[in-house]
Amino acid sequence: MPDPVPTDRHHVVVVGAGFGGLQTVHDLAGAPVRITVVDRRNHHLFQPLLYQVATASLATSEIAWPIRHLLRRRREVTTLLATVVGVDTAERRVLLDDGATLTYDTLVIATGARHAYFGHDDWEPFAPGLKTLEDATTIRRRILRAFEQAEREPDPERRRALLTFVVIGGGPTGVELAGTIAELARLTLVDDFRNFDARTTRVILIEAGPRVLPAFTEDLSRYAQRALEKLGVEVRLGQPVTDCTAAGVACGDEWIAASTMVWAAGVQASPAAEWVGVATDRAGRALVEPDLTVPGHPEIFIIGDAATIAGPDGQPVPGIAPAAKQQGQHVAAEIRARLAGKGSGKPFRYRHAGSLATIGKRKAVIDFGRFKLRGAIAWWIWGLAHIYFLIGVRNRLSVALSWLWNYMRDQRGSRLITQGATASASDPRPPQGTSG
Ligand SMILES: Cc1cc2nc3c(=O)[nH]c(=O)nc-3n(C[C@H](O)[C@H](O)[C@H](O)COP(=O)(O)OP(=O)(O)OC[C@H]3O[C@@H](n4cnc5c(N)ncnc54)[C@H](O)[C@@H]3O)c2cc1C
């Protein structure tokens, strides 16, 4: 066991080891603090590639790393696997779900967000969202099991429903999912079944707004839609989903019979704002001060997807990984400045590096402001950027190899149904699991 760090050091508690929390810890290296990191999961997750686990392209271990391992060389950092359920701001204590508490001098809350069903939480069992490894393996299992069931289904109508996949929400995740499911059916699985032609698979992308990828410029949105349609995806715009059951979804006047639906339509922040009694926007994100602290509590920061703050253009800073990381850097710099007696309260300034989204395995759109790109070159840049941001040489090599193999051979290495293999695919609540 390494020498203990003096307990009288300034104690920073970081709740959440996602992009924002981990960056804070990273940038506090060498500062005169001791740090406790609390996360309810034992792994840091690279969410931008979750859809590739859900569509059988990557294994779970390629996009997630044990937090404890990532921080093993930082002897001033203690990692705890625990769920935070509240904060006692008067006593400066974090409350854990097992009744234990943790005192802090500075608290950084970076607990992220989950998907939101706009008042229709009862739809979740039928159309799971994509946020965790469990979500990804649940979706993967449902997709693969639907094909397996279709192979055994004699009734053509029922088989058609089994081979209909509906993705709800036309943002980057929805577009990426729809394009990849279409490729899975038309390229990867095309030779694998005897009782149906996998190319007859329907993939329907439903977006309530007027265009897919609304955060991108209109021409890039149009390009993405055309690219999806070339892959065989049916894009429905301007119609919200009005009902969702185990048998399908209602969209406008149409009922779409489907056995597999995926929700990619909205986010709800974690309840961090509730814990500290601060006002929120409609998505539950804490309205923090310009320096990312909680009003009246300069010792508490809320960052990343759990908070909202205006960017230089007056619009809310987007809920993306680079924004969370920049906020983590800002908080670490603030803590250092305070401890050095250099004053604090410097406002956070967001620098938008650009937006990227991929449509299947050969096309992507990139918006770097003045510089926009689409097509195959954009896809290569997207791929290199994501490999660069993965943690560890082994994962970079492994993901690069999986992609190269998929690129050349249309094969996906993670097509295993490993949990709940005996349950019915239409079961709205198959067992959850994260293997593979
Ligand atoms: C499917 C998907 C695709 C995405 N694609 C992209 C993309 O291509 N590019 C991009 O830039 N961004 C993308 N994002 C968004 C990006 O992942 C988020 O903006 C980013 O993760 C936010 O970082 P964060 O630190 O705020 O929260 P997170 O990274 O979500 O981390 C939150 C952490 O808090 C922990 N936690 C939550 N509640 C508790 C609790 N009560 N107690 C203890 N621990 C808790 C969680 O376990 C988690 O580890 C995507 C998100 C999703 C879901």
Side-chain angles (χ1 to χ4, degrees):
M1 206 172 69
D3 294 339
V5 171
T7 51
D8 58 352
R9 272 203 195 175
H10 187 91
H11 187 207
V12 180
V13 172
V14 178
V15 184
F19 286 102
L22 216 50
Q23 189 69 47
T24 307
V25 178
H26 179 265
D27 281 32
L28 279 174
V33 294
R34 65 189 174 96
I35 303 172
T36 302
V37 177
V38 187
D39 202 296
R40 64 182 172 194
R41 298 184 185 277
N42 85 330
H43 51 266
H44 168 77
L45 177 61
F46 193 79
Q47 294 168 25
L49 292 180
L50 260 182
Y51 81 97
Q52 297 227 350
V53 173
T55 51
S57 305
L58 294 177
T60 52
S61 57
E62 286 175 307
I63 64 161
W65 304 266
I67 298 162
R68 189 172 297 290
H69 176 74
L70 294 176
L71 299 173
R72 69 192 182 284
R73 297 215 170 88
R74 296 280 301 279
R75 66 180 197 87
E76 82 284 18
V77 181
T78 302
T79 303
L80 300 181
L81 177 65
T83 300
V84 171
V85 290
V87 177
D88 178 346
T89 54
E91 296 292 324
R92 297 195 178 184
R93 290 184 314 166
V94 171
L95 315 178
L96 306 182
D97 66 341
D98 58 5
T101 61
L102 277 172
T103 52
Y104 60 82
D105 297 308
T106 298
L107 174 61
V108 183
I109 306 180
T111 42
R114 258 196 85 74
H115 28 268
Y117 286 80
F118 310 122
H120 291 286
D121 289 353
D122 52 314
W123 294 353
E124 182 165 15
F126 313 119
L130 186 57
K131 182 70 187 171
T132 63
L133 287 180
E134 289 88 344
D135 295 334
T137 52
T138 295
I139 292 166
R140 181 180 74 189
R141 184 171 54 251
R142 288 190 185 190
I143 292 172
L144 296 177
R145 186 136 16 83
F147 284 107
E148 295 297 336
Q149 288 201 317
E151 180 79 335
R152 297 187 54 202
E153 180 56 61
D155 176 49
E157 216 171 289
R158 175 80 196 123
R159 188 192 296 151
R160 190 163 167 76
L162 284 164
L163 294 176
T164 300
F165 298 85
V166 178
V167 178
I168 304 157
T173 300
V175 166
E176 287 165 351
L177 274 168
T180 316
I181 297 171
E183 285 183 343
L184 178 72
R186 284 174 176 72
L187 302 177
T188 308
L189 300 179
V190 71
D191 294 327
D192 290 15
F193 294 95
R194 301 293 168 262
N195 296 323
F196 64 87
D197 181 346
R199 286 167 300 194
T200 60
T201 299
R202 289 179 80 198
V203 182
I204 302 170
L205 177 66
I206 300 176
E207 164 57 41
R211 59 191 176 101
V212 298
L213 299 182
F216 288 72
T217 55
E218 284 194 30
D219 57 326
L220 291 180
S221 288
R222 267 197 306 277
Y223 172 82
Q225 182 176 345
R226 278 198 308 273
L228 282 170
E229 286 167 349
K230 266 197 193 151
L231 289 175
V233 176
E234 300 170 37
V235 180
R236 308 277 162 89
L237 299 174
Q239 298 276 14
V241 164
T242 50
D243 196 13
C244 181
T245 73
V249 297
C251 173
D253 297 334
E254 190 186 6
W255 172 257
I256 303 168
S259 74
T260 311
M261 284 81 71
V262 186
W263 188 263
V267 291
Q268 178 73 27
S270 79
E274 247 173 69
W275 297 340
V276 297
V278 61
T280 68
D281 68 0
R282 274 180 23 200
R285 290 180 285 235
L287 300 173
V288 290
E289 299 283 10
D291 64 351
L292 306 175
T293 58
V294 169
H297 287 285
E299 75 284 7
I300 304 177
F301 295 87
I302 306 183
I303 61 171
D305 284 4
T308 184
I309 188 161
D313 58 357
Q315 296 299 312
V317 169
I320 56 174
K325 289 173 96 165
Q326 288 178 27
Q327 293 179 7
Q329 287 165 353
H330 174 88
V331 167
E334 272 292 289
I335 294 172
R336 281 177 182 278
R338 287 180 188 183
L339 293 175
K342 290 186 189 155
S344 63
K346 208 170 146 200
F348 167 68
R349 287 207 196 293
Y350 173 61
R351 298 167 309 281
H352 188 63
S355 308
L356 298 82
T358 158
I359 313 126
K361 67 172 190 181
R362 287 197 175 91
K363 292 194 169 68
V365 288
I366 294 181
D367 186 348
F368 287 138
R370 278 192 220 156
F371 170 62
K372 296 182 180 48
L373 205 58
R374 58 199 201 185
I377 294 174
W379 184 84
W380 281 99
I381 294 175
W382 171 92
L384 289 174
H386 281 72
I387 285 173
Y388 174 78
F389 285 114
L390 287 170
I391 299 175
V393 178
R394 192 184 72 89
N395 279 306
R396 287 187 186 132
L397 286 176
S398 160
V399 170
L401 204 64
S402 298
W403 284 354
L404 210 57
W405 194 248
N406 179 16
Y407 194 83
M408 294 186 312
R409 305 292 303 268
D410 292 320
Q411 286 308 313
R412 288 161 206 273
S414 301
R415 283 166 42 197
L416 309 178
I417 304 175
T418 49
Q419 301 276 327
T422 55
S424 142
S426 59
D427 171 2
R429 281 197 180 274
Q432 303 256 315
T434 60
S435 35

